[in-house]
Amino acid sequence: MRAKLSVIIPTLNAASGLERSVPSLAEGLQAGLIRGLILSDGGSDDATKQIADAAGAVFLTGPASRGGQLRRGAEVAEGEWLLFLHADSVLPAGWSDAVVAHIPSGRPAAFQLKFDGVGLMPKLVAGWANLRSHMFSLPYGDQGLLVSRKDYDMAGGFADIPLMEDVAMTRALQKRITLLPLAVTTSAERYERDGWLRRGRRNLGLLLRYLCGANPKNLARRY
């Protein structure tokens, strides 16, 4: 099989997350699925570039704006399919088989979500995220977004906005997002720092304000 998939990761001082997430891509390389890895950076001053170089990734630099970084990454991607992934989201074992099985459907997809924290709250918050993704077809970027180049281009690409770029894209696709049968594991650090309920309420409030027309730049300052 000719490698079909370009993996695009936005980064900003993301070395600690990349140390966990980049190794999880290895099975896609072994399967001949990954055509290229692109790290689209927003001005890191940690070891992000060194990790990119060691992984053989294309390393792009530009202004820090997650939507803009994803857009720049997609512009140089050569794959027929694109996987947009957060730096601190670790793909599960078997992810490449799930992607290969899904590609013939032609539909955009995302993984289910779980956190690397322990206890009840990580399970509850992840459960809500998976329910939201299933019922409203609104996965967030930390779940990964798998989309064909054709659908990505038809949607107009990621908007150059600092927040809610993932929601804007899923709405622009105008197709229901398939939830894959595996879960990515993402960092619980921000929730543990801010409090699970407090951050969950804030994230939900930001989403509702965005859907009601709030400016993403203003929302990013609150985030």
Side-chain angles (χ1 to χ4, degrees):
M1 180 183 71
R2 183 171 179 265
K4 290 177 177 277
L5 185 68
S6 291
V7 181
I8 301 159
I9 301 177
T11 56
L12 181 60
N13 291 329
S16 61
L18 291 172
E19 288 173 350
R20 299 188 299 272
S21 61
V22 169
S24 71
L25 298 173
E27 71 171 65
L29 289 170
Q30 294 166 359
L33 175 64
I34 295 180
R35 187 175 181 86
L37 171 62
I38 300 162
L39 268 59
S40 186
D41 194 65
S44 296
D45 56 13
D46 64 355
T48 293
K49 187 177 188 306
Q50 289 88 330
I51 294 173
D53 291 342
V58 174
F59 189 77
L60 307 176
T61 58
S65 168
R66 198 157 59 195
Q69 289 171 237
L70 290 168
R71 188 179 186 91
R72 289 193 295 273
E75 286 172 354
V76 304
E78 297 179 348
E80 298 171 35
W81 282 76
L82 310 173
L83 175 59
F84 298 96
L85 189 69
H86 283 189
D88 58 358
S89 290
V90 180
L91 292 168
W95 73 267
S96 59
D97 288 339
V99 168
V100 169
H102 175 78
I103 281 176
S105 76
R107 299 187 63 84
F111 291 91
Q112 298 177 55
L113 183 70
K114 66 179 181 179
F115 290 96
D116 61 6
V118 296
L120 179 61
M121 289 309 300
K123 292 183 175 64
L124 289 176
V125 174
W128 154 246
N130 294 327
L131 181 64
R132 181 198 66 232
S133 302
H134 177 71
M135 292 186 63
F136 304 110
S137 196
L138 276 179
Y140 285 170
D142 52 9
Q143 294 171 245
L145 176 64
L146 175 69
V147 61
S148 69
R149 165 62 74 175
K150 177 183 176 182
D151 280 345
Y152 176 83
D153 289 342
M154 287 180 64
F158 274 99
D160 188 357
I161 52 178
L163 194 69
M164 296 295 167
E165 78 294 332
D166 42 9
V167 177
M169 171 53 69
T170 56
R171 297 177 80 195
L173 285 169
Q174 297 184 343
K175 291 185 176 181
R176 187 162 187 85
I177 311 295
T178 298
L179 267 189
L180 297 173
L182 298 174
V184 297
T185 301
T186 197
S187 172
E189 179 181 357
R190 291 191 180 106
Y191 281 91
E192 291 173 344
R193 180 191 65 209
D194 299 341
W196 287 90
L197 289 177
R198 181 183 177 192
R199 189 168 187 89
R201 285 196 304 267
R202 182 168 62 179
N203 287 350
L204 179 58
L206 291 171
L207 172 62
L208 294 175
R209 289 176 62 191
Y210 173 74
L211 294 176
C212 289
N215 188 320
K217 293 182 180 179
N218 296 334
L219 297 179
R221 284 193 287 269
R222 179 171 175 79
Y223 182 79

